[in-house]
Amino acid sequence: MPDGIRLQKALAAAGVASRRASEEMIAAGRVSVDGQVVRRFGARVDPESSEIRVDGMRVVTAPDKLYFALNKPRGVVSTMWDPEGRPTLADYTGQTDERIFHVGRLDTETEGLILLTNDGELANRLTHPRYKVVKTYIAKVPGPVPHSVVREIRGGVELEDGPVEVDSFRVVDNDAPRAMVEIRLHEGRKHIVRRLMEAVGHPVADLARTQVGPIDLNALKLGTMRALTSREVSELYEAAGL
């Protein structure tokens, strides 16, 4: 691609590694462009359209693509604007002037991880249950939670709009009067976690999403946002089958 930029420069600009380290990866045959392994340092690529992979994982080199993680506080609406004047995600995205949108939603009273991006293809994959990208939630419920309820949830629970099958369910803390449970599932029906726990007699008191696919909150403070690393973006693409 004569009008493109050198492959090692594209990798370095994407934050994969320094230009020298990128050259070493190219020489070792770890880098492919549009399905072909490239070993030439002089190879040129189009960052906007070339599909570049390192060790089989996709590297996003388009300079206009943005990816963020936000730890949404309770009481914030999962929209970029609210006609009622309530706090929205836009109140926490001050570090970028580019138009970004949220990947899925969290209930107003649910806090935790929400991703924001301008990458429509990835956003669609992350939210569509067909691609089975797992989301992890921690909920406080009335405790203790008996083993019979754990078995019931793991076996699948019938709701008014159809069955819900969790990817995993475990009790983190089983004290009375409050227990803490972890629910992992790949579907995103409205209020699905709250309705699930209500159906088994343990309504949610507090709820937080801690992980979306390979991305977790880690030390991200409530009400703050950070840019995802190139490695995290590559892991999201892999989780979404891209």
Side-chain angles (χ1 to χ4, degrees):
M1 193 164 292
D3 296 330
I5 66 173
R6 292 185 184 275
L7 177 56
Q8 59 267 40
K9 183 177 180 180
L11 291 172
V16 174
S18 68
R19 196 174 301 190
R20 177 63 181 273
S22 296
E23 290 175 350
E24 292 174 356
M25 289 191 291
I26 294 169
R30 296 171 58 192
V31 182
S32 67
V33 179
D34 296 330
Q36 300 294 320
V37 173
V38 176
R39 295 178 183 268
R40 292 188 301 109
F41 298 155
R44 292 181 176 272
V45 297
D46 181 353
E48 296 281 353
S49 61
S50 298
E51 183 179 293
I52 301 171
R53 293 180 181 270
V54 176
D55 297 332
M57 293 184 67
R58 182 137 171 210
V59 176
V60 179
T61 55
D64 62 331
K65 290 291 189 289
L66 302 171
Y67 307 87
F68 297 97
L70 168 67
N71 191 347
K72 184 187 88 67
R74 183 186 302 180
V76 174
V77 184
S78 289
T79 62
M80 301 306 284
W81 178 80
D82 181 62
E84 299 177 25
R86 294 172 294 180
T88 69
L89 301 176
D91 296 321
Y92 299 88
T93 59
Q95 69 188 78
T96 175
D97 294 327
E98 298 292 331
R99 183 178 180 274
I100 56 176
F101 48 88
H102 48 91
V103 180
R105 294 173 181 266
L106 287 176
D107 300 339
T108 304
E109 293 307 307
T110 299
E111 63 183 45
L113 180 62
I114 191 163
L115 302 179
L116 300 106
T117 184
N118 57 0
D119 188 333
E121 182 181 18
L122 178 62
N124 178 63
R125 293 258 186 151
L126 293 175
T127 53
H128 199 294
R130 170 185 174 187
Y131 299 102
K132 298 185 177 181
V133 178
V134 175
K135 290 83 175 176
T136 304
Y137 299 83
I138 296 290
K140 288 183 180 179
V141 299
V145 178
H147 291 303
S148 58
V149 169
V150 175
R151 288 194 299 270
E152 181 182 3
I153 293 175
R154 289 175 177 172
V157 175
E158 188 72 33
L159 300 179
E160 66 274 10
D161 57 350
V164 53
E165 296 182 359
V166 301
D167 290 79
S168 71
F169 178 86
R170 69 185 181 98
V171 178
V172 178
D173 189 341
N174 213 14
D175 289 340
R178 285 279 186 250
M180 186 177 295
V181 298
E182 179 191 81
I183 307 106
R184 303 180 75 242
L185 70 171
H186 60 266
E187 67 164 289
R189 277 181 282 168
K190 191 173 182 180
H191 304 305
I192 188 68
V193 174
R194 295 182 185 274
R195 292 193 291 130
L196 168 65
M197 297 310 299
E198 177 80 29
V200 297
H202 290 266
V204 170
D206 292 303
L207 182 63
R209 183 161 68 190
T210 59
Q211 191 165 345
V212 175
I215 310 302
D216 57 35
L217 283 173
N218 286 328
L220 187 62
K221 293 180 180 179
L222 195 64
T224 61
M225 185 175 82
R226 68 171 179 85
L228 298 185
T229 66
S230 61
R231 174 93 186 166
E232 288 175 320
V233 175
S234 293
E235 290 173 346
L236 276 176
Y237 264 74
E238 186 174 43
L242 289 169

